[in-house]
Amino acid sequence: MIKNLQSAVTMAALQDAALYYADYATDRSPDDGDHVVPHELRHFLARLRLLHGVPFSYLVPDAKLLPIESIRFFYIDRAWTDALTQGALSVGTVSTADRTQLESVYPHIRQEVDETERYIRRPPAEELLKDGSGTLTGFILRSRAVSGWPNLHVRAYSVDKLEDDELTNLAESAPERMKVLRIERLAPAVLFVIFDGVPAVVHIEEPRQGIQFGVRLDPEDPVAGSHRAKVRIRDNNTSLPVPPKKDYTDENSVDVPFRPGAPGVLNVTALRDRLQAMPKANKNPMAPNEFALQMLRFPFRQVFGDPDNTVGLQHYNLDKFIATVALPDWKDTVIKGLKETGP
Amino acid sequence: MPTLGHFVLHSQFKPSLTAGFYELKSEQVDLPFPVAPEITHIHVQAPRFVMPTEQILSSFPPANAEGAFGDRLPQIVLKRRTLPWERNPAGGGDVNPAGTPWLALVVVAEGEAELSGATPVAECVTAGTVLHQPADKDVEQGVHLAVTESVVKKIFPTVDDLPLLTHVREVDIDDTELVGGDDDGWLAVVLANRLPVFDVAGGKPVRYMACLVNVEGQLAALPPKVPAFDNVFTWELAQDWRVLSTLQTSGHVDAAAMGQLAINPNLLPAAQAAANLPRAVNVAGAAAGPKTVAQQSLDGAGAMRQPPVADQWRSTTAKVAQAALEPEAKRLVRSTMGLGFQLPISKYAFEKVLRFPVLAHWSFTTSEGATFETLMQNLDVGLLGTLPPPPKAKAGKPAPPPQPEDLPEVVATGHIGLSHRVRRGDALRAWYRGPCVPFATARDGADSSKPLPLAHAADQLRRVIPDGREDVTLAAAFEIGRLLALSQLSIVSALLRFRAEQFGAGRVREILGRLVPFPLPKGLANAGPLSVDLGRYVAVQVVDVLAKNTDRMLGPRRPIADPGREIEVGGEIDRLIASGLGLDYDGLMKRSAEFGLVATLSRTAATVSGTVGGGAFGELEQMALADALTSELNRTLSVAVPPAATRPRARGAAIAQAERDALDELLDQAPPDDDEEAEA
């Protein structure tokens, strides 16, 4: 049956060889399973794909492309990152045999590195997303907001149906949310983010470090160097902000009184009196806890998306599809139309 | 308990008793004989001069932080909900009826106040302050804040402000690390009354220190209710004593007292006093409103024109970070954060200096004037490749002409023209585009079904586009990838090892392909657990063949029982038996010649191994024999009727589920493992 196998010794050698082959050809990683490419190499290539370590001048060749206080969105050119990986793989290919081997194994490498890209940044408690990722996008933010507010929250969604100030606890692996493949401060004021897909809307949020109290400083100073501030009213019964949401009007906010001659010191009792006079916050006298409720400040969220898209417009409400033609009529129309156009 | 993700705000939470010494006197009356009253002394303890660290849950802004805190009120969160009301700031042992807390969070900028070193607690309050039960002190030495009266009037909260700035928060702790401990989710929060704003006019970061002070007995010193207010304020120091920080090198306090101050007298309020001018304490004027900058008033109400020492804020932050690494970090960090606040104001000020005990203090720096909102709203948004917007035309002037030479040569595809010196030395311009492009690109060129061929050298990726210029995009990417891999020795060796292993695997496969009579399947690397592992496949096939043809491949099977060793029997049978019984054959023969064989045998004692004590069969011996018998029986039984035979563990799910093959049958037929080795 097996001609060349005459002795048990040959047999054992063959068996050993088969086992060694299995060991040679697979890399067993405790993190993400068996692969052809060794763990270390695979992760290095995936990090390279996400442009870790690539000099910044290769990403943005001219400083004018990234002016001060700007955000620039982009797509990742996969051909570029493939060329990057090929360059890394070309190290040490001396002979023709080396290159032939690389050519035969390269499809495997490419496929596995596609998959590993998603393992590189994996917050604990996040589900692992299998399979390779498609188009990558991202943005570079160059702003004092990056240096002044470390640990910005960045979230991207594939559909824009969340209200701009709505709270959410969607996981990164949720289908509506885009996974962040890389988020890193390349410089104190430069934030580099790569998303796994093409987002419809991106949220950048002030870091949330505990509940804070404060005021809203007027962005337009009345006189250069001076400050003016407002407090937005919350409804005393529901604790929700008084509409309109987007604007600070006389109905939903009060000016903050400051102690004369004392820089930045709030005239707390005067502020209390002003708040008390507002109809929605009306509660006489205002207790310390009600005062605290009015002074609550939540993190600001900047939304990047289609400004014309108001909430939920991409998900049409069901009532827009109410049938307005009776079914028999509709059927008649179709049959008639088919008869006219048909043979 | 509030629901998950919610919290409840309460105004205050007054304790039944304030801290202090109490005497509990119990008397019994209406007895026919007198009974001495029982007197018990109780000490209700609460922090007074130092806040124990375990009572502080958090503070905002974080200690030693740098950032934009200008629109947030600093706060400190205390773990015991009754803490702010455990003493009566107005004095006396009762709970303050108005709910005025005895704690206030005061924010001072660098140069406005003096933070002392460790001082006996009696000196931590303004001289003349009457404390309720001064013997009730939690520590012997404390820290105090020394501030001039005018600064107190400017930045301290009023008596009416105090209750508004303190509240109790009830939070849900079920999903936090606090659950399971002593914490009940009730927290007391003390807010500051001052916004730590950025110095916009000076464009400088400002270092602030937040101090949790004890206002007990000093409510009268707090500013009176201020009816006037402004809607606008300009940042400045309430008083500028920063010049005092240069004193350390220039002289001694004595020198100043002798009028030999080594600093510029124009800078220091004390200089006017040294010139015997009347004390121009102008508290009311300073508090009332704007003042002319030209006039330098004695109390330091105006900003001093002098090089700001506070410019060294960054180094102080670094010093604190350094101190945190020291073994004595707990003490050092606090004292280092006090740097810049330890000006000897009380020695130079010519107005009354008030002292407030500081229970906790931390410093932070407001290093950013704009708010997050304004920064984000004013961002220039665009896709990469968008050039900066042209400078805005100033009102009344025509728009400046665009200056094309300043802007890089960018085209709609995202390519940028760069000067390129080719290998022959010609200076040309080439196109380059980074990995970040303004539109979605095809990964594999026009034909997406077939990937681009693998490049082995950067030159393979150089392209010349129709306008005649070279596009070095991919070539540059290839080269930087190559350099990045080469820059890490471990990656280079990993690549070489990987390649060697692949070659080794290829050789094994080649040999196997020649040896086995069936075509080897192609390895699918990424098919997950169902992937055909070639090695395992070959092993299973080979073992199967082996099992079917055991005679040819492995030789005949070993019989179940081995025959015993053949005993060599030689010589006289009688002698043999005698030696077997341990008898002396020759002696026996000699005597039998004399007496006859039977008589001789009957006279010879047989050798008996061991002695059975007293002829009686003891209980111990019986037990030992029974045990030996049982164990021997068990062993024999376990050999004859094996318990569930353990199979060799299959190496993969695929094999475990495979159908029974020749190997399994062979294994079933095989006798169970004997304990031969264990016996031997």
Side-chain angles (χ1 to χ4, degrees):
Chain A
M1 212 176 160
I2 299 176
K3 280 177 279 176
N4 298 337
L5 298 185
Q6 294 301 330
S7 69
V9 177
T10 327
M11 195 52 237
L14 185 55
Q15 205 166 325
D16 280 354
L19 289 175
Y20 283 143
Y21 176 80
D23 276 347
Y24 276 149
T26 49
D27 174 70
R28 293 186 176 79
S29 161
D31 295 332
D32 45 7
D34 292 1
H35 289 88
V36 167
V37 189
H39 180 94
E40 186 192 9
L41 198 57
R42 194 154 39 86
H43 280 244
F44 169 75
L45 292 175
R47 289 169 61 82
L48 206 56
R49 281 271 194 85
L50 298 176
L51 306 170
H52 280 275
V54 176
F56 192 67
S57 58
Y58 279 75
L59 307 181
V60 182
D62 194 301
K64 295 225 174 53
L65 292 176
L66 192 64
I68 292 165
E69 293 301 327
S70 70
I71 183 168
R72 291 285 182 260
F73 290 88
F74 56 78
Y75 292 84
I76 292 277
D77 185 3
R78 286 285 199 172
W80 203 96
T81 50
D82 277 350
L84 190 69
T85 357
Q86 289 173 8
L89 286 170
S90 73
V91 170
T93 47
V94 183
S95 64
T96 317
D98 288 339
R99 292 182 175 170
T100 316
Q101 184 266 342
L102 185 61
E103 258 172 31
S104 68
V105 84
Y106 179 69
H108 290 289
I109 298 179
R110 181 172 138 157
Q111 190 191 352
E112 291 188 357
V113 174
D114 278 357
E115 196 180 305
T116 313
E117 275 176 4
R118 293 176 140 188
Y119 297 170
I120 296 295
R121 179 184 170 276
R122 185 183 169 197
E126 278 290 341
E127 275 178 59
L128 196 61
L129 293 177
K130 297 267 176 185
D131 218 350
S133 43
T135 312
L136 302 187
T137 59
F139 67 79
I140 306 180
L141 172 63
R142 179 184 181 188
S143 167
R144 282 182 289 158
V146 179
S147 50
W149 284 262
N151 305 332
L152 291 177
H153 296 268
V154 177
R155 284 185 285 264
Y157 299 90
S158 53
V159 287
D160 185 3
K161 62 173 206 178
L162 204 68
E163 210 170 334
D164 282 357
D165 56 353
E166 195 179 318
L167 290 176
T168 171
N169 51 2
L170 269 184
E172 256 192 17
S173 48
E176 282 170 10
R177 202 167 149 198
M178 305 250 124
K179 188 173 169 59
V180 175
L181 293 179
R182 183 180 172 195
I183 174 164
E184 194 168 320
R185 276 210 289 173
L186 299 179
V190 176
L191 184 73
F192 185 72
V193 178
I194 297 182
F195 298 120
D196 184 9
V198 187
V201 62
V202 174
H203 291 178
I204 301 182
E205 206 172 279
E206 226 175 309
R208 336 176 132 257
Q209 276 141 0
I211 299 165
Q212 295 165 14
F213 299 85
V215 300
R216 179 186 182 268
L217 286 178
D218 197 331
E220 290 149 18
D221 294 332
V223 190
S226 64
H227 300 281
R228 188 166 56 186
K230 278 177 185 290
V231 169
R232 183 193 281 279
I233 307 285
R234 283 172 181 275
D235 192 322
N236 209 9
N237 295 319
T238 61
S239 82
L240 295 175
V242 174
K245 277 181 180 171
K246 298 266 177 197
D247 210 6
Y248 284 77
T249 63
D250 287 345
E251 282 74 41
N252 73 350
S253 63
V254 295
D255 284 325
V256 178
F258 292 98
R259 195 178 291 177
V265 177
L266 271 60
N267 193 337
V268 179
T269 35
L271 177 59
R272 196 260 316 263
D273 294 343
R274 280 188 184 180
L275 288 169
Q276 243 168 224
M278 297 303 288
K280 286 282 186 185
N282 190 11
K283 194 83 182 281
N284 213 353
M286 184 174 263
N289 57 342
E290 287 154 352
F291 179 74
L293 174 71
Q294 302 295 342
M295 298 302 288
L296 272 181
R297 276 294 308 257
F298 286 106
F300 180 78
R301 177 190 287 171
Q302 179 66 47
V303 178
F304 295 91
D306 183 0
D308 299 333
N309 176 33
T310 48
V311 183
L313 273 198
Q314 289 188 347
H315 278 227
Y316 298 103
N317 293 329
L318 285 177
D319 58 3
K320 291 197 178 152
F321 290 101
I322 292 173
T324 51
V325 180
L327 198 57
D329 294 350
W330 181 83
K331 219 163 89 183
D332 288 347
T333 319
V334 173
I335 291 169
K336 213 172 94 187
L338 283 177
K339 269 184 193 160
E340 278 172 10
T341 54
Chain B
M1 179 66 75
T3 47
L4 192 73
H6 290 71
F7 60 92
V8 181
L9 296 169
H10 301 270
S11 290
Q12 48 205 222
F13 212 100
K14 293 181 193 164
S16 309
L17 279 182
T18 55
F21 297 106
Y22 290 87
E23 197 178 83
L24 186 69
K25 190 171 179 183
S26 38
E27 287 178 339
Q28 246 176 332
V29 291
D30 294 340
L31 288 175
F33 46 87
V35 176
E38 165 80 8
I39 293 177
T40 318
H41 293 276
I42 297 173
H43 183 196
V44 178
Q45 285 182 320
R48 195 169 206 173
F49 296 100
V50 163
M51 185 63 70
T53 42
E54 74 263 13
Q55 286 295 344
I56 301 174
L57 181 69
S58 69
S59 67
F60 179 86
N64 208 35
E66 289 171 21
F69 306 116
D71 56 350
R72 299 294 152 99
L73 292 174
Q75 58 167 325
I76 185 166
V77 183
L78 305 171
K79 278 188 178 174
R80 198 154 82 209
R81 60 186 121 161
T82 53
L83 210 46
W85 296 276
E86 283 177 9
R87 293 180 187 279
N88 188 349
D94 303 326
V95 179
N96 190 296
T100 308
W102 62 282
L103 292 171
L105 191 62
V106 177
V107 176
V108 291
E110 204 170 44
E112 286 179 345
E114 172 191 359
L115 184 76
S116 77
T119 322
V121 288
E123 293 168 25
C124 278
V125 290
T126 316
T129 305
V130 181
L131 286 183
H132 172 64
Q133 290 179 344
D136 174 22
K137 47 189 178 186
D138 48 350
V139 284
E140 291 302 321
Q141 288 198 320
V143 177
H144 67 259
L145 191 71
V147 271
T148 56
E149 212 165 13
S150 56
V151 170
V152 170
K153 291 275 182 282
K154 282 184 175 184
I155 65 170
F156 271 55
T158 65
V159 179
D160 293 337
D161 290 350
L162 284 175
L164 287 172
L165 293 171
T166 316
H167 65 266
V168 172
R169 195 188 292 165
E170 183 189 3
V171 299
D172 167 56
I173 56 167
D174 277 350
D175 55 352
T176 71
E177 74 228 22
L178 297 178
V179 72
D182 288 342
D183 296 288
D184 51 6
W186 289 81
L187 308 158
V189 182
V190 184
L191 298 179
N193 65 334
R194 183 182 192 185
L195 295 172
V197 287
F198 181 71
D199 182 4
V200 177
K204 290 195 305 276
V206 185
R207 200 155 150 261
Y208 289 95
M209 169 161 283
C211 301
L212 186 68
V213 298
N214 177 353
V215 295
E216 225 183 328
Q218 302 194 72
L219 282 186
L222 294 182
K225 185 167 182 176
V226 197
F229 50 78
D230 291 341
N231 284 341
V232 174
F233 71 91
T234 309
W235 190 86
E236 59 181 7
L237 287 176
Q239 263 188 349
D240 196 345
W241 294 99
R242 286 176 300 185
V243 68
L244 293 181
S245 64
T246 56
L247 276 186
Q248 303 300 328
T249 50
S250 59
H252 196 258
V253 178
D254 291 345
M258 301 287 285
Q260 299 165 342
L261 214 57
I263 52 177
N264 186 346
N266 287 331
L267 302 183
L268 192 72
Q272 292 184 30
N276 282 329
L277 288 176
R279 285 170 57 167
V281 182
N282 189 9
V283 176
K291 59 224 135 269
T292 50
V293 183
Q295 180 202 347
Q296 293 282 345
S297 64
L298 178 63
D299 59 359
M304 304 289 165
R305 283 186 300 274
Q306 52 108 15
V309 183
D311 267 354
Q312 298 164 354
W313 59 277
R314 194 175 282 284
S315 67
T316 308
T317 307
K319 275 181 210 161
V320 176
Q322 184 61 37
L325 301 174
E326 300 286 329
E328 281 195 301
K330 197 177 168 188
R331 184 183 62 78
L332 276 180
V333 165
R334 290 266 164 223
S335 61
T336 316
M337 278 205 288
L339 286 179
F341 293 91
Q342 287 157 343
L343 314 170
I345 291 176
S346 44
K347 297 199 173 65
Y348 290 97
F350 281 82
E351 54 179 306
K352 191 177 179 191
V353 174
L354 302 175
R355 291 179 173 190
F356 292 90
V358 174
L359 288 99
H361 65 89
W362 74 96
S363 70
F364 56 90
T365 307
T366 301
S367 60
E368 175 62 69
T371 64
F372 187 75
E373 186 184 344
T374 52
L375 283 175
M376 291 312 265
Q377 293 282 352
N378 295 333
L379 278 184
D380 175 27
V381 184
L383 283 163
L384 198 69
T386 315
L387 288 170
K392 280 177 190 162
K394 283 175 188 164
K397 285 184 183 174
Q403 294 162 322
E405 66 273 14
D406 277 359
L407 294 177
E409 183 186 10
V410 179
V411 289
T413 53
H415 286 81
I416 183 168
L418 297 174
S419 55
H420 179 210
R421 186 169 294 272
V422 295
R423 287 177 195 156
R424 294 195 333 189
D426 302 340
L428 299 177
R429 282 185 81 76
W431 291 110
Y432 172 79
R433 181 173 72 179
C436 310
V437 296
F439 58 94
T441 51
R443 179 175 193 178
D444 298 318
D447 184 9
S448 60
S449 62
K450 208 171 65 181
L452 289 174
L454 175 73
H456 293 293
D459 282 10
Q460 281 175 284
L461 293 167
R462 290 169 72 180
R463 301 278 182 274
V464 175
I465 61 168
D467 76 345
R469 275 157 73 172
E470 199 180 338
D471 177 6
V472 294
T473 302
L474 295 182
F478 184 95
E479 206 51 41
I480 191 67
R482 186 180 166 86
L483 291 175
L484 283 172
L486 277 171
S487 69
Q488 293 184 40
L489 205 57
S490 66
I491 293 303
V492 176
S493 68
L495 265 172
L496 294 178
R497 203 163 52 237
F498 173 54
R499 192 158 295 142
E501 281 171 4
Q502 288 285 311
F503 274 125
R507 271 195 292 278
V508 172
R509 186 187 160 87
E510 190 78 3
I511 293 167
L512 280 175
R514 291 188 187 180
L515 289 181
V516 293
F518 48 83
L520 287 172
K522 295 213 165 172
L524 289 174
N526 265 338
L530 292 175
S531 68
V532 183
D533 185 331
L534 177 70
R536 223 166 270 162
Y537 178 80
V538 170
V540 169
Q541 292 288 327
V542 166
V543 171
D544 196 38
V545 171
L546 269 180
K548 278 182 186 151
N549 306 286
T550 45
D551 304 348
R552 283 176 53 201
M553 310 296 293
L554 299 175
R557 279 169 54 187
R558 190 163 177 254
I560 290 172
D562 291 334
R565 178 165 47 87
E566 213 170 304
I567 300 169
E568 306 245 336
V569 182
E572 255 177 289
I573 187 80
D574 287 350
R575 180 180 293 272
L576 215 62
I577 290 172
S579 71
L581 291 173
L583 300 176
D584 179 13
Y585 179 74
D586 293 329
L588 212 62
M589 282 297 119
K590 222 179 257 174
R591 271 175 278 163
S592 68
E594 206 172 322
F595 306 110
L597 187 63
V598 178
T600 313
L601 279 178
S602 67
R603 283 185 194 177
T604 310
T607 322
V608 177
S609 70
T611 50
V612 181
F617 198 54
E619 216 170 292
L620 277 175
E621 286 78 4
Q622 194 181 357
M623 275 168 63
L625 280 177
D627 284 350
L629 187 65
T630 315
S631 66
E632 181 60 24
L633 194 66
N634 283 341
R635 198 189 69 81
T636 317
L637 273 177
S638 72
V639 170
V641 189
T646 45
R647 290 268 170 73
R649 202 157 53 82
R651 276 193 65 194
I655 300 180
Q657 291 160 5
E659 292 185 6
R660 292 177 64 78
D661 54 11
L663 182 64
D664 290 324
E665 284 163 20
L666 196 67
L667 284 173
D668 288 348
Q669 289 168 21
D673 275 347
D674 227 333
D675 305 6
E676 281 174 27
E677 285 143 348
E679 278 183 335

